[in-house]
């Protein structure tokens, strides 16, 4: 099956620094990738939809200057949390979809990145 | 408009007894429906999916779900719970619409399995 990786799996940083999280589709071309945020014991909240070669579409209430998304290739999307603060601490999960696989909109999820901002 | 409602935030069963996790949905389009499982600090694993073929869908680890259009439901079941089934389960709806789609997650149901 389709595999999506995320790196790093866990990161701790100081307040005010920026953190980059990578999401890669390992064995398929991901025309669309999604970034989610998950607070403890809560569901996933979609942050943005990223299409290769174009600007990401952010959900209402998500600061695009705070959460920079780049989808430069069909296998890689990055999320950069700029000037991170403790309230940005969360579990970030990416997913990818392969529209060539039949269009049933199945998303393949990465293992997640635990961000802790001190 | 689309929505997903998981009717129980927590379900507790004894090992070896049946599992029922309930999900109701609404969708303006013909939906794809999914169940995912998430173990602590892990990503999501697909259990099964409904994509307008057979209404009874069999998934991994003995789980299955039945799509009932008249009831707008997609409940997840398993005949006999195992300790390793303890996790968070998400019901997800996504329209069968290649012109742009938005996936909606349910709030999740935490399954506890007692020995």
């Amino acid at each position: 099956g389709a595999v999506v990786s995320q790196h790093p799996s866990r990161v701790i940083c100081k307040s005010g620094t920026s953190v980059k999280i990578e999401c890669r589709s390992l064995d398929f071309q991901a025309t669309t990738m999604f970034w989610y945020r998950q607070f403890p014991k809560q569901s996933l909240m979609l942050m943005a939809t990223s299409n290769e070669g174009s600007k990401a579409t952010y959900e209402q209430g998500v600061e695009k200057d705070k959460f920079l998304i780049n989808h430069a290739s069909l296998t890689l999307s990055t999320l950069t949390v700029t000037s991170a603060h403790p309230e940005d601490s969360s579990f970030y999960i990416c997913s990818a979809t392969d529209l060539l696989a039949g269009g049933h909109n199945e998303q393949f999820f990465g293992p997640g990145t635990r961000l802790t901002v001190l | 408009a689309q929505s997903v409602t998981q009717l129980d935030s927590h379900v507790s069963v004894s090992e070896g007894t049946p599992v029922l996790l309930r999900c109701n949905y609404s969708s303006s389009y013909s939906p794809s429906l999914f169940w995912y499982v998430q173990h602590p600090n892990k990503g999501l694993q697909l259990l099964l999916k409904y994509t307008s073929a057979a209404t009874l869908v069999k998934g991994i680890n003995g789980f299955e779900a039945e799509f009932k259009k008249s009831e707008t439901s997609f409940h997840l079941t398993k005949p006999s719970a195992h300790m390793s089934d303890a996790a968070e389960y998400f019901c997800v709806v996504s329209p069968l619409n290649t012109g742009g789609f938005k996936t909606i997650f349910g709030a999740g149901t935490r399954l506890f399995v007692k020995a």
Side-chain angles (χ1 to χ4, degrees):
Chain A
V3 178
V4 175
S5 70
Q6 273 183 250
H7 179 79
S9 59
R10 188 178 295 266
V11 58
I12 301 173
C13 69
K14 293 182 179 179
S15 186
T17 60
S18 294
V19 173
K20 180 185 284 188
I21 303 170
E22 293 185 347
C23 178
R24 293 181 185 274
S25 57
L26 298 184
D27 51 2
F28 67 100
Q29 292 186 328
T31 52
T32 303
M33 287 184 169
F34 303 88
W35 286 96
Y36 295 88
R37 184 173 180 176
Q38 185 180 33
F39 291 103
K41 299 184 180 181
Q42 293 189 28
S43 188
L44 278 69
M45 181 190 75
L46 179 65
M47 298 174 67
T49 301
S50 167
N51 292 298
E52 185 266 338
S54 62
K55 290 184 178 180
T57 302
Y58 290 81
E59 295 300 303
Q60 192 172 7
V62 178
E63 299 176 60
K64 57 183 67 176
D65 294 329
K66 173 77 171 174
F67 298 100
L68 300 178
I69 292 172
N70 183 278
H71 192 165
S73 78
L74 285 171
T75 59
L76 173 64
S77 176
T78 60
L79 167 68
T80 301
V81 183
T82 62
S83 186
H85 291 282
E87 58 265 29
D88 299 324
S89 299
S90 192
F91 195 52
Y92 293 87
I93 302 176
C94 74
S95 72
T97 190
D98 177 8
L99 293 181
L100 297 177
H104 290 304
N105 305 339
E106 177 179 349
Q107 294 180 39
F108 303 96
F109 287 85
T113 297
R114 172 73 59 191
L115 171 63
T116 303
V117 185
L118 302 177
Chain B
Q2 295 181 108
S3 68
V4 179
T5 302
Q6 290 185 241
L7 297 163
D8 307 292
S9 59
H10 299 85
V11 169
S12 182
V13 301
S14 297
E15 191 174 23
T17 64
V19 176
L20 170 64
L21 304 183
R22 298 182 294 166
C23 173
N24 285 99
Y25 72 94
S26 70
S27 177
S28 303
Y29 303 95
S30 297
S32 294
L33 293 161
F34 306 85
W35 275 99
Y36 288 89
V37 61
Q38 185 182 32
H39 289 91
N41 293 310
K42 300 289 186 183
L44 275 69
Q45 180 184 20
L46 179 67
L47 284 176
L48 49 80
K49 61 183 177 182
Y50 166 76
T51 55
S52 76
T55 56
L56 182 61
V57 182
K58 294 188 183 297
I60 62 172
N61 301 336
F63 285 95
E64 62 181 41
E66 186 171 7
F67 173 70
K68 292 186 177 180
K69 188 175 182 178
S70 60
E71 298 176 11
T72 61
S73 69
F74 190 57
H75 300 333
L76 181 70
T77 60
K78 181 173 180 177
S80 176
H82 192 273
M83 295 297 288
S84 61
D85 294 328
E88 188 84 21
Y89 292 80
F90 294 99
C91 180
V92 178
V93 63
S94 182
L96 273 173
N97 171 15
T98 57
F101 56 89
K102 189 165 180 175
T103 297
I104 305 294
F105 279 76
T109 298
R110 170 75 62 177
L111 176 64
F112 296 94
V113 181
K114 299 174 288 187

